[in-house]
Amino acid sequence: MEDWIILVIGLLIVPFTFWIDKKDSKSTYYKEHPERRKKPYHKRWWVYLIAIFLVGGAISEITDPPKPHSHRLASDKEMQKEYKKTVKDRINSETQNLPGQKINKYKATKHEFYWTSKDDKKVRYFVSDGKITAMKVVLAPDVNNTFWCKAYLANVLHDNHLQFTNDKLADTAASLSNKGRYNIYSPKVKKWYNVSFNAADNVGKKDNMVATFSVYPGKSSDAE
């Protein structure tokens, strides 16, 4: 609203000076004292300069898209800081929780001694200095065999093409024991992990059943 008022003033200032000039020319005082007659307004260059300044500024404000108040007040440093924070939050929200990786707090819930995945309560993360040092999957009491565990590993490591043992065997070719430790390669992130299976107890005639398994970053020299 203020911009429109300034625009109107700018447009009217020149004709107004001409009107004042004409009115003064008919004044009795100046007829009696011609030596004191003021210089005609329309010959004063600064009048036109003021008019141009007011009109130009008003038009610029009116045609310029409105900006959020916070952006007008924020300094360049504050805007850059906010931008970096937004990018960091976006990257962090897209990052998966993998062994050796910085814990993604957006996708995990903190407990006293470990974190649990918000997507799967069976998945626990053990963290040191902000990084995941181990991932433990607690299957018990719903124990299952190692064949099924390979599919579970593909899910928690976010790679459907995991390769097992140092020979990088495909999951269909790898025969795993429920008491063994194995190196795993993830082609997706190009990193090695190692997994340790813990056998389930008291399962009757069922064999090769797993109660829990843990995944660690890097290769293990103790792996089979």
Side-chain angles (χ1 to χ4, degrees), residues 13-14 17-18 21-22 37-49:
I13 192 171
V14 173
T17 56
F18 275 95
D21 183 36
K22 185 176 181 181
R37 184 184 298 278
K38 294 181 180 180
K39 188 176 182 181
Y41 282 92
H42 66 276
K43 292 183 180 180
R44 296 172 186 174
W45 59 269
W46 52 267
V47 173
Y48 300 99
L49 184 62

Side-chain angles (χ1 to χ4, degrees), residues 3-221:
D3 297 332
W4 285 102
I5 294 174
I6 294 173
L7 177 62
V8 172
I9 293 173
L11 292 173
L12 293 179
I13 192 171
V14 173
F16 178 74
T17 56
F18 275 95
W19 178 77
I20 293 294
D21 183 36
K22 185 176 181 181
K23 183 178 180 180
D24 286 346
S25 65
K26 295 180 180 181
S27 171
T28 304
Y29 175 81
Y30 287 119
K31 286 182 179 180
E32 295 176 354
H33 306 279
E35 72 283 359
R36 296 185 179 181
R37 184 184 298 278
K38 294 181 180 180
K39 188 176 182 181
Y41 282 92
H42 66 276
K43 292 183 180 180
R44 296 172 186 174
W45 59 269
W46 52 267
V47 173
Y48 300 99
L49 184 62
I50 292 174
I52 293 172
F53 177 78
L54 293 175
V55 173
I59 292 176
S60 176
E61 289 294 326
I62 293 171
T63 57
D64 188 32
K67 298 178 181 179
H69 184 65
S70 60
H71 285 190
R72 290 184 177 182
L73 297 179
S75 65
D76 291 342
K77 186 176 181 179
E78 290 173 340
M79 293 176 68
Q80 290 176 4
K81 184 178 180 181
E82 184 65 25
Y83 173 76
K84 289 180 179 179
K85 181 178 181 298
T86 301
V87 172
K88 183 178 179 180
D89 288 345
R90 178 179 58 79
I91 293 174
N92 195 32
S93 65
E94 293 174 353
T95 302
Q96 306 294 347
N97 278 323
L98 297 172
Q101 185 185 72
K102 185 177 180 180
I103 184 71
N104 184 346
K105 298 178 182 179
Y106 289 87
K107 295 188 176 183
T109 303
K110 188 176 182 180
H111 302 276
E112 185 175 2
F113 300 110
Y114 56 85
W115 297 67
T116 55
S117 170
K118 289 185 177 180
D119 297 327
D120 187 347
K121 301 303 180 184
K122 292 181 178 294
V123 180
R124 299 177 181 179
Y125 306 111
F126 294 87
V127 179
S128 178
D129 296 329
K131 288 189 176 182
I132 301 173
T133 57
M135 174 193 297
K136 186 174 184 179
V137 179
V138 182
L139 301 177
D142 302 321
V143 299
N144 219 310
N145 56 39
T146 54
F147 178 80
W148 183 86
C149 287
K150 286 189 289 187
Y152 211 115
L153 277 165
N155 183 54
V156 296
L157 293 178
H158 307 284
D159 190 343
N160 293 325
H161 303 285
L162 294 176
Q163 298 169 350
F164 293 83
T165 75
N166 293 337
D167 296 328
K168 295 185 178 181
L169 298 176
D171 60 347
T172 54
S175 178
L176 309 180
S177 167
N178 64 340
K179 298 179 182 179
R181 180 185 291 271
Y182 302 92
N183 287 325
I184 307 174
Y185 181 73
S186 171
K188 185 175 181 179
V189 296
K190 296 180 174 59
K191 290 184 180 296
W192 282 94
Y193 305 102
N194 68 89
V195 58
S196 175
F197 292 104
N198 295 313
D201 297 325
N202 302 321
V203 292
K205 295 182 179 180
K206 295 181 179 179
D207 57 357
N208 211 31
M209 301 299 284
V210 177
T212 67
F213 63 85
S214 301
V215 186
Y216 307 88
K219 279 186 174 183
S220 171
S221 57

